[in-house]
Amino acid sequence: MNILVLGGGGREHALCWKLRQSPQCGLLYCAPGNPGTARAGALNVPTLSPTNPAAVVAFVRANRVDMVVVGPEAALVAGVTDAIREQPDLRQVPVVGPGRAGAHLEGSKVFSKQFMQRYGIPTAPARVFSTHDVTDALAYVRTHPLPVVLKADGLAQGKGVIVAYTPAEAEAAVRRMLLDDEFGAAGRTILVEEFLAGRELSVFVLTGGDGYVLLPTAQDYKRIGEGDTGPNTGGMGAISPAPAADEVFMQRVRAEIIDPTLLGLKAEQIPYQGFLFIGLMQVGDAPFVIEYNVRLGDPEAQAILPRVSSDLIELFVAMHQRRMAYVTLHLDPRPTCAVVLASGGYPGAFLADQPISGIPQAEAQPDTLVFQASTQTSHEEGQLLTAGGRVLAVVSRAETAPQATAQAQAAASLIHWPGVYRRRDIGD
C-alpha cells in the first residue's frame, strides 16, 4: 500500500517508523516531513501543506495513495478527511482521522465540554466567557475557588491552558486571553473551569465508529520546569504505561467515559474513524475528562507506538472496515520513557539553526530510539540543525519503568547543541 502521513513532527516520525515495519507498506510519503521521517524511510513532500485539503486530495489521486494517516489536529479541523471522503473515486481510501464534525471535539473546548455534559461524562464544572463578557469574567474569577483553570476555546498548540493560583493571576489570565489577544482567535472565547486535583493520564483509543481497541496509556509532562513548574509546553516527556492506569480504574474509564463518548458521537450522527485521545484526571478512584484530542499526542505517540506489536496498517484497515470489535491488539509489556530535548528559552524565545551532535551515540544505547520533531539539514554540509522549540524525543524501553527512565535520560545526555534543555525528572 502507498501511504501518506500528514505532518512534520516527532509524532509523524514515530508513525513513519512504525508503518515502515509493516510488510504491507509500499511507498511511504510524509508531508511536509522532516529529516527524521526521511531516515524512517518516508519520501518527504515539503511543498504539501496538511491544512490544504484540495492539495492533499490532488496528491492522493496523482500518487495513487491507498491510505492517509493524519498527524496534526489542524489538518483535521481544516477538513482534510471530509475532502477525501467526498471524492467518489477515493471513498475506499482509509483516512485515519475524523472529519471536521468529529474534530470539533478538539477544535472547540466549549463544544467538547457541552458534549460531555449532554452525555453524563464526568468532567469539571465550567462557565463560558467571550470578549463581550470581560467584566463578568473578571468578577467571576475574583470569587472562584482557587486554583482555577482557564482554557482557550480553540487550538493553541497545547499552550492554551492557564492554571491560576491567586485572584490576581486569574484576572491577568482573563486579560491575556480576552483583552490582549495572546492566543488570537483561539482565545477569544474561554472556559473558566474548576481545578481537579489528582493524577493525570492519557488514554488512547483507535475506533472505526463501531468498536475500538485501547492503545497503551501514557502520562505526559506539560510544564517546562522540573517539579512541574513554569508555563505549559507542547509536552516535555512521557512515560507508558501511566502509573494510575490499573485494571480496576481502566474498567471505570471504559464504562464511564469511552463507551458514553462513542455512543454520544453516534447519537449526534458524527462519524468517527481514527484516534481518540482522552486526557484524564484520576480524582480519588474516579476518572474525570480534562480534554479530548482527535489524534495521537506528541510526545505520547513516541512513548506508546514502540509498545504496539501489532501491524499498524492492519489496524487501520480494520478501522476503515469497521471491524475493530474483532481485533486483538498485541502489546510489548515493557515500559517506555520519552525525554524531550528542547531549545533553550522554549516555550518563549529561542535560537534555531544550532548544530546537533550525539544522535548516533544515543541510538546505540540499548532499546533506545531518537525521534526528530523540529530539525532541519543545512544545505552546505548536511549538518543536522535545530528548527524549533521541541527538537527531539529520546525513547527507551526496559523491563521496569525506573530502568526505562534511567536509560532514556542517559541516552539524552549524549545529545548536544548550544542551549539544549531537558527535564531530568521525567518518570520520577
Side-chain angles (χ1 to χ4, degrees):
M1 298 180 75
N2 296 336
I3 300 172
L4 171 63
V5 175
L6 294 178
R11 166 183 51 219
E12 288 73 38
H13 184 178
L15 281 165
C16 288
W17 167 81
K18 184 61 182 171
L19 288 164
R20 181 47 76 190
Q21 295 173 12
S22 171
Q24 299 183 58
C25 185
L27 289 175
L28 178 61
Y29 300 98
C30 190
N34 66 36
T37 60
R39 282 195 64 201
L43 301 170
N44 287 344
V45 191
T47 57
L48 179 59
S49 169
T51 56
N52 185 337
V56 172
V57 166
F59 184 91
V60 168
R61 186 176 283 127
N63 292 276
R64 299 184 178 181
V65 169
D66 301 302
M67 177 180 290
V68 179
V69 182
V70 186
E73 62 275 21
L76 297 167
V77 171
V80 69
T81 298
D82 304 283
I84 295 170
R85 289 178 179 159
E86 287 164 3
Q87 312 303 313
D89 59 322
L90 300 180
R91 284 181 185 153
Q92 296 309 308
V93 174
V95 183
V96 183
R100 188 181 283 109
H104 213 41
L105 278 177
E106 179 170 2
S108 170
K109 293 288 191 294
V110 172
F111 172 81
S112 65
K113 180 66 69 173
Q114 293 170 344
F115 176 90
M116 290 180 245
Q117 292 167 341
R118 282 196 295 276
Y119 296 100
I121 297 164
T123 186
R127 277 191 58 179
V128 180
F129 298 94
S130 70
T131 51
H132 306 294
D133 310 316
V134 176
T135 301
D136 291 342
L138 289 169
Y140 183 71
V141 298
R142 285 187 195 111
T143 59
H144 195 285
L146 297 170
V148 61
V149 181
L150 298 94
K151 295 181 177 180
D153 176 51
L155 299 179
Q157 297 181 324
K159 303 171 190 174
V161 178
I162 299 172
V163 181
Y165 292 89
T166 68
E169 288 180 2
E171 290 182 45
V174 169
R175 291 190 177 94
R176 285 166 59 188
M177 290 178 163
L178 298 183
L179 291 178
D180 299 341
D181 211 28
E182 181 172 324
F183 299 102
R188 291 171 192 159
T189 298
I190 65 171
L191 280 175
V192 179
E193 189 173 278
E194 181 181 304
F195 179 83
L196 296 175
R199 303 171 78 185
E200 195 168 346
L201 68 152
S202 302
V203 168
F204 301 89
V205 166
L206 179 65
T207 181
D210 292 312
Y212 64 88
V213 292
L214 191 60
L215 297 165
T217 60
Q219 177 182 316
D220 75 329
Y221 295 75
K222 284 290 187 191
R223 292 181 178 266
I224 187 65
E226 293 177 6
D228 284 331
T229 57
N232 276 338
T233 71
M236 292 303 298
I239 56 173
S240 178
D246 62 39
E247 185 56 38
V248 173
F249 180 75
M250 292 307 297
Q251 286 175 359
R252 292 193 64 172
V253 170
R254 286 177 180 270
E256 299 174 27
I257 293 171
I258 298 174
D259 292 344
T261 296
L262 297 181
L263 287 171
L265 289 167
K266 277 186 138 182
E268 303 205 1
Q269 298 183 326
I270 298 175
Y272 198 103
Q273 288 195 340
F275 295 108
L276 180 63
F277 163 1
I278 307 172
L280 296 177
M281 187 70 74
Q282 183 188 45
V283 182
D285 296 325
F288 287 79
V289 178
I290 303 171
E291 64 176 355
Y292 292 115
N293 291 163
V294 295
R295 36 73 194 182
L296 285 180
D298 186 338
E300 295 96 333
Q302 294 91 303
I304 70 172
L305 286 174
R307 297 192 59 224
V308 176
S309 302
S310 296
D311 185 311
L312 207 54
I313 293 177
E314 289 184 2
L315 290 175
F316 292 159
V317 169
M319 173 211 75
H320 180 69
Q321 296 175 348
R322 304 172 76 90
R323 293 189 290 104
M324 297 307 294
Y326 307 101
V327 168
T328 299
L329 184 69
H330 299 284
L331 300 178
D332 186 331
R334 292 176 295 171
T336 56
C337 176
V339 176
V340 168
L341 276 67
S343 298
Y346 174 79
F350 55 83
L351 290 176
D353 302 317
Q354 302 302 302
I356 302 170
S357 64
I359 290 179
Q361 291 81 358
E363 291 179 323
Q365 304 307 302
D367 284 308
T368 296
L369 302 160
V370 178
F371 292 118
Q372 299 183 33
S374 294
T375 58
Q376 59 187 330
T377 304
S378 66
H379 296 297
E380 296 80 13
E381 302 172 1
Q383 168 71 49
L384 192 67
L385 305 172
T386 65
R390 294 185 302 150
V391 179
L392 306 169
V394 179
V395 184
S396 289
R397 287 175 291 199
E399 294 302 318
T400 68
Q403 288 173 342
T405 297
Q407 286 178 199
Q409 291 287 1
S413 72
L414 301 174
I415 300 175
H416 302 281
W417 66 83
V420 62
Y421 170 78
R422 77 179 192 275
R423 277 185 59 170
R424 289 169 169 79
D425 64 342
I426 303 301
D428 287 353

